[in-house]
Amino acid sequence: MDDLRLNGWRREGLTMHRALTTLAALLLSASAQAGSKVSATFSENPIVYFAVTDRYANGNPGNDHSYGRAADPAGGDVGSFHGGDIAGITQQLKAGYFRDLGVNALWITAPYEQIHGWVVGGKQQFRHYAYHGYWALDYTTMDANMGTREELREMIDTAHAQGIRVLFDVVLNHPGYADLRTLAEYKVPVLWPGHEKAVLRDYHSFIDYNNFEFKQWWGPDWVRAGLPGYPDGGKDDFTMQLAYLPDFRTESSKAVGLPPILQRKADTRAVALPDTTVRAYLVHWLADWVREFGVDGFRADTVKHVEAASWLALRAAATDALADWKTRHPQQKIDDAPFWMTGEAWGHGPERSSWHDAGFDSMINFDFQHRAAGDWKSIDGVYRQYAGLLGKRIGNEPRHDILSYISSHDTSLFPRDRLKHGLSALLLAPGGVQLFYGDESARQPGAAPIGDEQQATRSDMNWNSLDSATLAHARKLGQFRLRHPALARGEHRFIHEQPYAFARVTKEDAIIAVPEALGTIELKVHGVFADGTPLRDAYTNQTYIVKDGAIAVNAAGTVLLEKAAP
């Protein structure tokens, strides 16, 4: 078909899709529009939804067993691919699920191709596949379990049409393990006969770890691996082998060719680049996803195990790539905001750190999860601390940000019987916030094998058992937060302790929140809202008028006060 005609039809179709999506958004959130809305950039008010794609929604069952991947016959299937894919995320986008939650960014696990087989999980308990996207094989191709490039393009275009950014999880620290299936498929001659029948207890006995032919895998110029002919992992954060994974030599100034395994991979899109280092290859490959699809940002894994210069190089290349994509796709872009990055450095708290100068707009905040379980008196102290830290500048340092969470795939799930409390604590917190899939719907944990209990956090999304009350609560909070950057960036003001109430205020925006409140409450709003100001409780849609610096509200679980729209 003529490319111009095809592109023309595609533009017209996308324009119609945008119009229909906009109309649906107006109809579905009519009550939300009754409140005033203050304009804010994404970077000022990030509300990120993290979905482990394989565990989220199965839009195309035909790709469930790509590369011969199969269910685990003995390990309870905890580490297998479960069928979730990019098409499933698109289905939920079209259904308005993310829009109704008020999120403005969708963080997905890496969709590029992972190792094909499994490795021993836990204490020889389950077959562990790379369903989570952290064991890359080929950074240039889609993993067939995740879908096709066309499906990825449709997903991103659909998200952008709703004003929702798409963030990729990315790894610069390591590729995947040397698993039996991948080594066999790409003819790395280090396997003993009979490896096809390997089980958990004898898996490693089929790999000849003393064989110098391991050079035909990634190659010693590319990784530290502690294998024959390879350098060993170092003793510092930057050169160690994390969890025995091969460690990319991103600090090396040596020019390299393609790794041997990719030289023999017929469907790779990787090509040899002249005078190019390991770092430059990885940066080039990751930035290409941005340039082709308009990926808006990265969540970077294992940040403290890669030197700052590599993250700065990635940020610069991705920024250029996104600007280029937006120039070529003016109808598909959300706005002209630059590329955005958040980073995971284990144990990082709310304070500004040197990583904020290494290409990161924000850092994931490990401090909040356990503190969110406290009472509101203690949480007010957290809010006050965070608002103070995030509003403070030292010299000419730019303002920094964090991404707080109450559940994560690497730690634990927030107590399921206290999810409304946890969601309130999170979605009313200063700074950026990250909602983990299923916290809004009371998804239950899965099996927790000994030696890898975090697998319990990655159970399948509970589409057939959504907790309607928890979901409704999350939607009201999320929509309210989306309208009010004061929650993320405002001055925190304590109002009173019983019931707990606070205000968050900027020059352009102000809110008052009373979480976990019931019945008639006298609220003093002087200094936040002037007498005569019409206010709306976004939780109940009731309206009030400020008189003598106060109002009497009828609380139905939570109070979310904002100026009523004129």
Side-chain angles (χ1 to χ4, degrees):
M1 181 181 289
D2 181 272
D3 285 345
L4 291 176
R5 286 170 58 201
L6 179 60
N7 289 335
W9 290 353
R10 184 172 182 276
R11 283 194 299 272
E12 290 176 11
L14 183 61
T15 300
M16 179 63 71
H17 174 66
R18 279 179 177 271
L20 292 173
T21 299
T22 301
L23 177 60
L26 290 172
L27 293 172
L28 287 169
S29 59
S31 63
Q33 299 306 312
S36 60
K37 182 176 181 178
V38 179
S39 177
T41 64
F42 166 72
S43 63
E44 292 172 324
N45 187 23
I47 309 168
V48 180
Y49 188 97
F50 172 31
V52 176
T53 307
D54 174 69
R55 305 301 170 89
Y56 196 64
N58 192 346
N60 180 10
N63 62 29
D64 289 0
H65 302 295
S66 303
Y67 316 112
R69 292 166 177 160
D72 186 346
D77 213 24
V78 66
S80 302
F81 278 82
H82 287 190
D85 49 29
I86 295 297
I89 289 178
T90 304
Q91 287 179 353
Q92 294 307 317
L93 278 163
K94 290 179 177 179
Y97 188 81
F98 304 108
R99 181 185 58 234
D100 292 349
L101 278 170
V103 300
N104 54 17
L106 178 57
W107 157 17
I108 62 170
T109 46
Y112 45 77
E113 189 173 352
Q114 303 294 302
I115 61 172
H116 293 178
W118 55 274
V119 296
V120 178
K123 295 188 176 181
Q124 294 188 342
Q125 286 185 290
F126 65 97
R127 297 185 178 190
H128 196 167
Y129 286 86
Y131 70 87
H132 39 62
Y134 293 126
W135 299 339
L137 169 64
D138 189 341
Y139 285 84
T140 72
T141 54
M142 280 287 290
D143 191 280
N145 266 79
M146 295 297 99
T148 66
R149 299 178 88 87
E150 291 72 24
E151 287 170 331
L152 178 64
R153 196 182 317 279
E154 180 186 14
M155 186 273 280
I156 294 176
D157 285 349
T158 303
H160 284 172
Q162 298 179 25
I164 297 173
R165 286 164 167 79
V166 175
L167 316 175
F168 275 16
D169 214 334
V170 299
V171 186
L172 274 185
N173 177 248
H174 56 263
Y177 292 105
D179 70 288
L180 288 172
R181 181 180 291 275
T182 305
L183 291 171
E185 286 183 0
Y186 296 102
K187 297 179 170 53
V188 181
V190 296
L191 302 181
W192 298 112
H195 60 83
E196 302 89 348
K197 298 179 181 179
V199 294
L200 290 166
R201 68 177 181 275
D202 62 9
Y203 185 95
H204 292 289
S205 67
F206 287 101
I207 303 174
D208 181 1
Y209 288 109
N210 295 313
N211 197 325
F212 278 85
E213 290 306 313
F214 259 110
K215 67 185 179 184
Q216 297 185 43
W217 183 45
W218 278 89
D221 288 339
W222 272 83
V223 298
R224 284 173 277 265
L227 294 166
Y230 285 76
D232 292 331
K235 295 183 179 180
D236 60 76
D237 280 340
F238 295 149
T239 62
M240 67 180 289
Q241 284 184 246
L242 187 65
Y244 302 102
L245 285 155
D247 183 68
F248 279 129
R249 302 181 68 178
T250 48
E251 81 293 345
S252 174
S253 60
K254 182 178 180 179
V256 296
L258 286 181
I261 196 166
L262 293 187
Q263 292 178 29
R264 298 196 299 281
K265 190 172 182 291
D267 63 343
T268 187
R269 299 167 70 94
V271 296
L273 302 172
D275 301 320
T276 302
T277 62
V278 171
R279 175 194 296 167
Y281 269 107
L282 293 169
V283 165
H284 175 76
W285 291 340
L286 290 170
D288 271 355
W289 293 99
V290 181
R291 193 176 306 279
E292 180 174 351
F293 297 98
V295 177
D296 300 280
F298 289 153
R299 178 270 187 186
D301 187 62
T302 55
V303 162
K304 70 179 182 180
H305 295 290
V306 179
E307 63 284 344
S310 289
W311 296 122
L312 287 166
L314 180 63
R315 172 59 180 260
T319 298
D320 289 347
L322 184 58
D324 177 54
W325 181 87
K326 289 184 176 184
T327 298
R328 292 181 288 108
H329 299 86
Q331 299 302 314
Q332 289 99 323
K333 68 180 182 181
I334 297 175
D335 52 30
D336 290 318
F339 195 78
W340 186 87
M341 280 183 22
T342 189
E344 179 256 338
W346 191 265
H348 199 291
E351 298 82 7
R352 195 179 193 284
S353 75
S354 60
W355 293 116
H356 286 96
D357 299 317
F360 293 101
D361 298 275
S362 83
M363 294 297 292
I364 290 175
N365 175 26
F366 287 76
D367 175 72
F368 188 71
Q369 182 177 26
H370 70 279
R371 301 182 75 181
D375 60 25
W376 287 108
K377 182 177 181 180
S378 65
I379 291 173
D380 185 76
V382 177
Y383 286 173
R384 185 177 301 278
Q385 176 197 7
Y386 286 8
L389 287 169
L390 297 172
K392 181 170 59 179
R393 296 174 188 245
I394 301 175
N396 295 322
E397 289 180 345
R399 202 172 192 175
H400 81 285
D401 204 5
I402 55 177
L403 201 63
S404 298
Y405 63 88
I406 58 170
S407 297
S408 98
H409 64 314
D410 280 336
T411 57
S412 60
L413 297 181
F414 197 82
R416 303 288 94 175
D417 60 346
R418 301 192 66 215
L419 271 172
K420 282 190 176 182
H421 174 87
L423 288 164
S424 295
L426 176 67
L427 292 173
L428 296 174
V433 295
Q434 172 240 301
L435 187 62
F436 191 42
Y437 79 105
D439 271 1
E440 78 282 5
S441 61
R443 171 177 62 90
Q444 296 302 303
I450 297 172
D452 195 352
E453 289 80 2
Q454 284 73 31
Q455 295 296 327
T457 68
R458 309 167 191 178
S459 55
D460 291 344
M461 181 62 179
N462 58 320
W463 294 114
N464 295 323
S465 59
L466 301 178
D467 185 294
S468 59
T470 304
L471 184 57
H473 182 68
R475 285 172 171 170
K476 289 175 181 179
L477 286 163
Q479 289 282 353
F480 184 70
R481 185 178 185 91
L482 183 63
R483 293 195 299 276
H484 292 291
L487 277 165
R489 286 298 187 186
E491 173 195 349
H492 180 76
R493 300 180 187 175
F494 173 81
I495 295 179
H496 54 65
E497 186 172 334
Q498 287 295 335
Y500 171 61
F502 71 88
R504 205 77 51 73
V505 181
T506 67
K507 291 181 180 178
E508 300 82 16
D509 188 25
I511 65 91
I512 290 177
V514 192
E516 297 179 3
L518 289 169
T520 302
I521 300 171
E522 293 287 334
L523 270 179
K524 296 186 181 301
V525 300
H526 177 71
V528 182
F529 298 114
D531 279 2
T533 302
L535 299 182
R536 170 180 176 263
D537 177 3
Y539 205 81
T540 62
N541 206 27
Q542 295 184 71
T543 55
Y544 307 93
I545 301 292
V546 180
K547 182 179 179 181
D548 297 330
I551 59 171
V553 299
N554 300 310
T558 296
V559 177
L560 303 173
L561 288 177
E562 62 189 359
K563 285 185 179 179

